[in-house]
Amino acid sequence: MRATRFGSTSRYVTAAVIGATTISLSLWGTASAAAQNGPDLGQENFVTSPNVRQVANVAATAPLLGGGARSSDLAFTGDYAIGGNYNGFTIYDIKHPKKPTIVSQVLCPGSQGDVSVHGDLLFYSVDARRSDDSCNSVSQNDGSKPYWEGVRIFDISDKANPKYIKAVETDCGSHTHTMVPDKAGTDVYLYVSSYAPSASLPKCQPPHDKISVIKVPLANPSAAAVNSTPVLFPDGGNAGTPGSFPNHYVRQTSGCHDITAFPEKDLAAGACMGDGVLFDISDRAAPRVIEKIQDNVNFAFWHSATFNNDGTKVVFTDELGGGGAATCKPEIGQTRGANGVYDITGTDLGFKSYFKIPRHDSEICVAHNGSLIPVAGKDIMVQSWYKGGVSIWDFTDSANPREIGHFDPLPSRIGPSGTWSAYYYNGYIYSNDGQQGLDVLQINDPLTDEAKSVHQKVFNAQTQYSLRHGNN
């Protein structure tokens, strides 16, 4: 391992050798960048409900700004938040949530950069064909030439100097992944979701009705490898309905977009393009489909899933328009592009209601990533809606969900995407904006105040635990 500093800037280039391959990482921001605070937060750029306020923002910085960079998912461990990006990831120190700082940034391109964390390991999804698995790779969209996509594994024991330790290739890449610990505590499994096969891609052939399961031995993560590729849709899944936004259409199922696991319940819920799926994951290496549902009237693209705290409900989201459309216009209505709330009875998923933010928006406004606010006896979720902002909503009554708070960026807040992911962690809401960096929000409301006493040691949105679990 060697590190070289260039000039007086805070840029380091670190080379790590993996077998015979040299992989270079560019680390920026070791001179911590403090968040903006107080009157300079730019309140003219957003509006909030009376019970929500922005307490900090850490602006996006090079190299994870511009040039194809776009912030994506978030994961948390201890006093740190890890922000994924199409070009790498950022580690933030959030010990003081109102004054977060950047500890390090890793430049290692490969969209879309979904992240999860387990102990000192960070997993990073790459759903883009690259010339090789290194951080120096370049885009390789010609399927006739060698390419790589899949999952990268980093050691983040030293938050200021992450190290790249392993790459695992998966068919069709890794759009998202779900980290699921085994029951013995010796391994973790990554359920890799990917889709969009093509006959022109030798490693992403149709029909691709499967996921990839990676086994990571915790004592030797460099031995991580694909363990199995279970076929979820032997019948082909939803055949889809041709069309495009804003006309009605349903995406054909050819893999999954996202899976959320509830390990202590031995359950997982999958959002698989044209299908919603419930899995039995009692055998971590072999997830088994126990229920499939479709909504060909209102759902266009099953995007993600979130259980309630008791594992008795699932919220599925619909990414109508593919994450780049204005779906919150009055003419679209309140049922298309909405969340679907389902009760779980045995192995059955029973539809109860739709929920969509009550505000109209002519910009990109699409249901996206969110999580529970941990309140015993209540089902309350915080959720990103791109430029529709952050919504806090209550679905305790499955048939009658309602919004209880919001943070809404105005058109004057520049950037193409808006908030990608919004999660509650130890008293605060953290929102990863595609271009505007990390927003820290706080909700003060009798319905959610109890959550401030819940302390979590680690948080991965796609790996849920109940309030009674030792994670809290």
Side-chain angles (χ1 to χ4, degrees), residues 14-35:
T14 304
V17 177
I18 303 177
T21 304
T22 298
I23 299 178
S24 297
L25 287 71
S26 295
L27 303 184
W28 298 64
T30 49
S32 296

Side-chain angles (χ1 to χ4, degrees), residues 157-190:
S157 53
D158 180 354
K159 302 297 187 291
N161 187 32
K163 300 175 183 178
Y164 186 171
I165 59 174
K166 176 70 176 182
V168 181
E169 187 171 31
T170 56
D171 291 346
C172 294
S174 174
H175 194 73
T176 65
H177 70 266
T178 305
M179 191 280 299
V180 187
D182 76 342
K183 297 181 180 182
T186 58
D187 307 300
V188 298
Y189 290 89
L190 305 179

Side-chain angles (χ1 to χ4, degrees), residues 314-336:
V314 181
V315 173
F316 288 103
T317 69
D318 177 19
E319 194 179 45
L320 176 66
T327 73
C328 299
K329 292 181 176 181
E331 57 266 32
I332 303 298
Q334 289 300 110
T335 57
R336 293 184 62 208

